[in-house]
């Protein structure tokens, strides 16, 4: 059974009890001593229907180490299982195991009874082979594979009545459900409800990597050729309208967190310092330098409340079992539209040497709510 996310910035007591229930459901001893091991991405995600989520350099080992080190330091209820006997706070790989079959088996052999899947999951991932032996913190692999398809996810949410930006598929290859680069024209886009400027981005993207705002057909074709020639995100991309208003990102806790029966949206984080219409990738500019949590008064604005409720509904529809982060942006009239759901958000946090500015958008939102 997949349980809710257990970030160091989220209430330990409630979520630790949640994992205890997971152990019981597996017929394991309900001992108060949780032995948690973190996995990082060592298995390359496959190309799925022409699209691929380009692996992150380091495979999220940095955030895994941040979380593991924080729990090892601050929680008396958790034993952190590590691949080395005396992990160094400055060495990320001292704290995390690769998400390969061998890495998972080693974590279990060292006594882990909970695996934190801080990686990109998909159908056929090695983790599927141990689901009857260990509790897992993370999304279900099938759910994450579906959610990582941003075009299909947005279409499903839009069909359910949520305000989600319209989008169309673009492919480097001939296929019936997408436009080819040669077929791109302003007339064709207009017939699909799009006009310049537009956003061009990967279908299985990661953050703002590969995302561009273009104001002409020539620039759109150039962005498409560059992304497809690189190949890191596969042969499929999507086009969305460029929304000129404020940008927010909303963290949604899973059912069971904070003793809630359903998903719970935390106070949104406002994004800023856009470059050519796009927030810089957090690997280049730390989000603590260009983002801030809305004040309580700002979060009570009707448009903000509406988008928070929409995000909770989106997570309910998708069956999210761990923390999700959803991006939204306002149109010229101030109405927010969802445009990106991330089922495996970044979970870095300050604490280890040299990482004082590395709180993620999720940990920023959690800290503002007093979760620690």
């Amino acid at each position: 059974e997949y349980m809710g996310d257990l970030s160091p910035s989220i209430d330990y007591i409630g979520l630790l009890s949640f994992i205890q229930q997971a152990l019981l459901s597996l017929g394991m001893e309900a001992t108060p001593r949780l032995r948690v091991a973190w996995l990082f991405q060592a298995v390359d995600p496959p190309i799925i229907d022409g699209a691929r989520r380009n692996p992150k350099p380091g495979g999220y080992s940095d955030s895994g180490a941040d979380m593991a080190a924080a729990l090892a330091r601050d929680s008396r209820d958790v034993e952190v299982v590590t691949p080395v006997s005396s992990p160094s706070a400055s060495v990320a790989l001292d704290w995390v195991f690769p998400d390969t079959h061998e890495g998972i088996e080693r974590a279990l052999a060292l006594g882990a009874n909970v695996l934190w899947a801080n990686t990109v999951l998909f159908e056929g991932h090695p983790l599927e082979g141990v689901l009857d032996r260990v509790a897992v913190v993370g999304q279900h692999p099938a759910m994450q594979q579906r959610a990582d398809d941003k075009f299909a996810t947005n279409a499903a949410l839009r069909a359910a009545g949520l305000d989600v930006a319209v989008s169309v598929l673009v492919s480097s290859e001939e296929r019936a459900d997408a436009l080819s680069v040669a077929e791109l024209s302003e007339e064709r886009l207009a017939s699909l409800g799009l006009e310049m400027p537009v956003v061009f981005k990967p279908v299985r993207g990661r953050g703002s990597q590969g995302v561009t705002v273009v104001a002409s057909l020539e620039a759109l074709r150039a962005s498409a050729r560059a992304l497809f020639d690189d190949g890191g995100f596969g042969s499929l991309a999507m086009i969305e309208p460029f929304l000129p208003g404020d940008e927010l990102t909303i963290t949604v806790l899973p059912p069971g967190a904070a003793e809630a029966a359903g998903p719970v949206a935390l106070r949104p984080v406002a994004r800023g310092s856009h470059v050519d219409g796009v927030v810089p990738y957090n690997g280049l500019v730390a989000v603590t330098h260009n983002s801030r949590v809305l004040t309580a008064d700002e979060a009570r604005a009707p448009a903000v409340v509406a988008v928070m409720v929409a995000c909770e509904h989106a997570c309910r529809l998708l069956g999210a079992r761990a923390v999700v982060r959803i991006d939204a942006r306002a149109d010229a009239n101030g109405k927010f539209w969802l445009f990106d759901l991330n089922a495996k958000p970044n979970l870095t946090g300050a604490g280890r040497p040299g990482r004082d500015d590395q709180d993620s958008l999720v940990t920023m939102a959690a800290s503002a709510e007093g979760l620690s």
Side-chain angles (χ1 to χ4, degrees):
E1 182 75 13
Y2 280 73
M3 309 316 294
D5 199 295
L6 191 66
S7 164
S9 289
I10 294 170
D11 173 33
Y12 285 138
I13 297 175
L15 288 178
L16 290 179
S17 197
F18 203 42
I19 291 183
Q20 291 285 1
Q21 295 172 18
L23 296 176
L24 283 171
S25 73
L26 291 169
M28 299 171 66
E29 180 186 356
T31 170
R33 195 63 176 170
L34 299 171
R35 298 181 295 277
V36 185
W38 270 259
L39 303 180
F40 74 96
Q41 183 183 37
V43 177
D44 280 349
I47 295 176
I48 302 170
D49 194 28
R52 177 174 182 260
R53 180 163 172 162
N54 201 20
K56 180 182 179 181
Y60 307 99
S61 58
D62 55 350
S63 55
D66 291 341
M67 290 186 282
L71 273 178
R73 181 190 65 228
D74 297 335
S75 177
R76 290 174 295 181
D77 299 314
V78 173
E79 177 185 340
V80 175
V81 178
T82 59
V84 300
S85 57
S86 299
S88 168
S90 61
V91 180
L93 292 179
D94 280 3
W95 296 91
V96 293
F97 295 84
D99 64 345
T100 59
H101 172 76
E102 293 77 12
I104 291 169
E105 289 296 336
R106 183 164 182 237
L108 297 179
L110 289 173
N113 57 16
V114 178
L115 295 178
W116 193 317
N118 189 43
T119 182
V120 175
L121 299 174
F122 47 85
E123 293 180 1
H125 189 279
L127 191 63
E128 290 184 337
V130 299
L131 298 187
D132 59 345
R133 297 164 52 195
V134 64
V136 177
V137 180
Q139 306 292 1
H140 190 284
M143 180 272 178
Q144 187 169 340
Q145 177 172 311
R146 291 193 302 270
D148 278 349
D149 184 332
K150 299 180 187 303
F151 179 81
T153 295
N154 287 358
L157 297 179
R158 197 163 46 244
L162 296 182
D163 292 323
V164 180
V166 67
S167 55
V168 298
L169 284 176
V170 180
S171 176
S172 64
E173 305 165 346
E174 294 289 337
R175 50 188 289 171
D177 61 346
L179 298 177
S180 68
V181 176
E183 290 176 305
L184 292 174
S185 69
E186 293 196 32
E187 293 76 17
R188 188 67 182 274
L189 292 177
S191 71
L192 297 168
L194 292 164
E195 59 182 30
M196 298 294 176
V198 295
V199 178
F200 180 81
K201 68 182 189 182
V203 167
R204 293 183 178 273
R206 180 169 49 79
S208 58
Q209 286 202 313
V211 180
T212 54
V213 175
V214 295
S216 70
L217 187 61
E218 292 75 18
L220 176 58
R221 287 174 173 164
S223 292
R225 284 192 292 268
L227 186 75
F228 294 147
D229 287 348
D230 176 80
F233 292 102
S235 60
L236 201 62
M238 55 195 287
I239 302 171
E240 296 174 342
F242 173 69
L243 299 167
D246 294 337
E247 182 172 340
L248 301 177
T249 189
I250 298 96
T251 294
V252 185
L253 303 186
E259 300 182 353
V264 178
L266 301 183
R267 208 184 316 162
V269 176
R271 310 303 311 277
S273 303
H274 293 68
V275 177
D276 296 327
V278 180
V279 177
Y281 172 56
N282 70 327
L284 301 176
V285 179
V287 298
T288 53
H289 296 171
N290 59 22
S291 307
R292 67 174 184 85
V293 182
L294 296 188
T295 66
D297 283 344
E298 289 172 323
R300 283 192 284 269
V304 176
V305 171
V307 77
M308 292 172 68
V309 171
C311 288
E312 291 175 347
H313 190 194
C315 289
R316 192 176 296 111
L317 288 169
L318 293 173
R321 303 186 187 183
V323 168
V324 169
R325 204 193 73 237
I326 302 177
D327 298 329
R329 197 155 176 172
D331 60 21
N333 297 316
K335 177 180 177 178
F336 284 99
W337 297 78
L338 309 185
F339 68 86
D340 195 294
L341 184 146
N342 190 342
K344 193 264 164 272
N346 188 26
L347 289 170
T348 54
R352 293 192 299 119
R355 297 181 62 77
D356 291 344
D357 64 349
Q358 289 302 303
D359 275 337
S360 66
L361 295 164
V362 171
T363 49
M364 288 174 63
S367 295
E369 300 287 0
L371 302 176
S372 61

